[in-house]
Amino acid sequence: MASAFEGPDGPFVYARYGNPTVRALENAVADLEGGAGALAVGSGMGAITSTLWALLRPGDHVVAQNCLYGGTQGVLGDLRERWGVDVTPVAAGDPEQVRAAIRPNTRVLFLETIVNPTGEVVDLPRLAAMAREAGVTTVVDNTFATPLLCRPIEHGADVVVHSATKYLGGHSDVIGGLMVFADAATRLAVQERTAEFGAVLDPFAAWLIVRGLQTLGVRVPRQCASAQVLAERLAGHSAVAAVHYPGLPDHPGHGDARRLLSGGFGGVLSFELAGGLRAGRAFVGAVRLASLAPSLGDVKTLVMHPASTSHRQLSAERLAQAGIAEGLIRVSVGIEDVEDLWADIEQALKAAERHH
Ligand SMILES: *Cc1c(COP(=O)(O)O)cnc(C)c1O
């Protein structure tokens, strides 16, 4: 027992400091991401807050991509208001904007590999190199890409975070988060904080995520292939005004996505119905194979209409500012037969056209 209390990676003595099932998950995800080590926590948000709180102190500065996951934006707002950490949002598609935003007190650059719902992909190697030169730690949320499409540490990232609730778990039956570190020292520093916060992962949840990892290499390529087919067909449909998917050649991030991602462009796409709000409601009410549900990365196809659900409190004007069209539909493509999925989408598009 004395040796167990010696250090965080000694024998297991108490589950908040470490557990063998959780450690098995951490080792597996560290391997997948090519990192020196990983830490699992209770959710993706737990991974994001643990990382930021461990790296930052009052007076520090963060440069953040301007269209991050809503929960991440909430944490960054909190850091600014409550903890005296200044945050500069940047259009990370423009590396010069990122360079201009970095100050002497900048500690963290926060990016996502594939941004929701626009499908933006940035020039990660260039941005990470720029950050490293300035002594800034690059943190990348790799939830949408998974380590199958992109291993950000190989492109210069220092910390990778995941919502394991999505693709790593893969079945919408577990909540969890992972942090993967390029160097062991950062892992140790963050581990001290996670033991304090107590936001650790339950061992059974870890077991479920390890179960999910066993099929990651089968699920993700199929989801990407189906998303590509659906995106191409949607782009040619009369009820659809625009499709946002980095696998389409006319997507603004297509060039960066081709360089950064391998094996596919992700399993999530979004499209705008020409019929706006009413058409959006009609579409999600009409799907039969797909489920109307939040979250993503499930083996089942999930659809969302942000303007009538997650973003319903915003006025038409604020929606437009947030880049969310009233007829925007997000699809997280599952592993069903792609022709079955297209048949379902096609009949729901007909219902949407009737409400135009
Ligand atoms: C869902 C999600 C999160 C938050 O993860 P939770 O497991 O729900 O806490 C963070 N980042 C991205 C990109 C996500 O999709």
Side-chain angles (χ1 to χ4, degrees):
M1 184 172 283
S3 77
F5 278 98
E6 226 14 72
D9 288 321
F12 298 107
V13 66
Y14 190 78
R16 184 156 43 76
Y17 301 109
N19 165 275
T21 312
V22 175
R23 185 62 44 80
L25 169 65
E26 291 168 342
N27 289 342
V29 177
D31 267 2
L32 282 169
E33 288 284 2
L39 289 171
V41 285
S43 69
M45 285 312 303
I48 291 165
T49 47
S50 298
T51 301
L52 291 174
W53 287 2
L55 293 176
L56 295 165
R57 291 170 188 280
D60 286 345
H61 175 240
V62 175
V63 176
Q65 197 169 0
N66 59 7
C67 41
L68 296 169
Y69 178 73
T72 309
Q73 296 197 41
V75 174
L76 293 172
D78 228 32
L79 282 174
R80 193 191 273 125
E81 277 167 40
R82 304 191 54 172
W83 304 108
V85 171
D86 209 5
V87 181
T88 304
V90 289
D94 175 5
E96 286 318 307
Q97 248 197 63
V98 177
R99 188 190 300 281
I102 292 176
R103 309 175 189 162
N105 63 337
T106 305
R107 286 279 292 134
V108 169
L109 170 65
F110 198 108
L111 305 168
E112 289 178 0
T113 329
I114 305 175
V115 167
N116 174 48
T118 56
E120 177 174 289
V121 177
V122 297
D123 187 351
L124 177 59
R126 179 145 174 224
L127 298 181
M130 214 183 253
R132 174 144 311 175
E133 218 171 274
V136 173
T137 302
T138 301
V139 180
V140 177
D141 184 334
N142 199 32
T143 300
F144 273 61
T146 82
L148 286 190
L149 306 187
C150 179
R151 290 155 42 113
I153 289 172
E154 290 175 356
H155 299 282
D158 301 293
V159 184
V160 174
V161 292
H162 275 282
S163 168
T165 315
K166 316 292 171 49
Y167 287 100
L168 301 187
H171 298 71
S172 292
D173 56 6
V174 60
I175 186 153
L178 264 303
M179 298 166 266
V180 188
F181 304 94
D183 68 279
T186 312
R187 178 180 175 275
L188 265 184
V190 177
Q191 189 170 27
E192 273 176 34
R193 298 282 93 73
T194 55
E196 286 172 358
F197 297 154
V200 294
L201 188 66
D202 171 65
F204 183 60
W207 183 85
L208 282 170
I209 299 165
V210 170
R211 177 267 343 235
L213 288 181
Q214 296 175 69
T215 55
L216 186 72
V218 181
R219 289 183 277 117
V220 172
R222 182 172 169 102
Q223 287 163 320
C224 291
S226 296
Q228 182 75 35
V229 169
L230 297 176
E232 285 167 11
R233 292 189 190 173
L234 282 162
H237 197 283
S238 59
V240 175
V243 181
H244 307 291
Y245 185 64
L248 294 178
D250 60 354
H251 186 277
H254 183 65
D256 281 322
R258 285 184 71 106
R259 283 185 288 276
L260 193 64
L261 308 178
S262 58
F265 296 91
V268 179
L269 61 94
S270 68
F271 62 94
E272 296 174 20
L273 288 161
L277 196 63
R278 280 162 51 88
R281 278 187 212 276
F283 180 90
V284 293
V287 289
R288 290 200 291 255
L289 179 59
S291 304
L292 173 54
S295 198
L296 58 107
D298 193 356
V299 289
K300 282 168 56 106
T301 295
L302 311 177
V303 298
M304 272 275 281
H305 178 222
S308 68
T309 55
S310 56
H311 292 67
R312 71 193 179 289
Q313 71 282 7
L314 298 188
S315 64
E317 201 182 2
R318 290 284 314 281
L319 269 179
Q321 280 169 0
I324 310 250
E326 288 195 304
L328 185 89
I329 303 288
R330 187 184 77 186
V331 185
S332 169
V333 179
I335 61 168
E336 303 92 336
D337 186 279
V338 69
E339 294 306 331
D340 288 347
L341 281 176
W342 177 245
D344 189 32
I345 288 173
E346 220 178 8
Q347 63 83 27
L349 287 172
K350 282 207 185 88
E353 272 181 317
R354 283 198 292 278
H355 288 84
H356 194 153

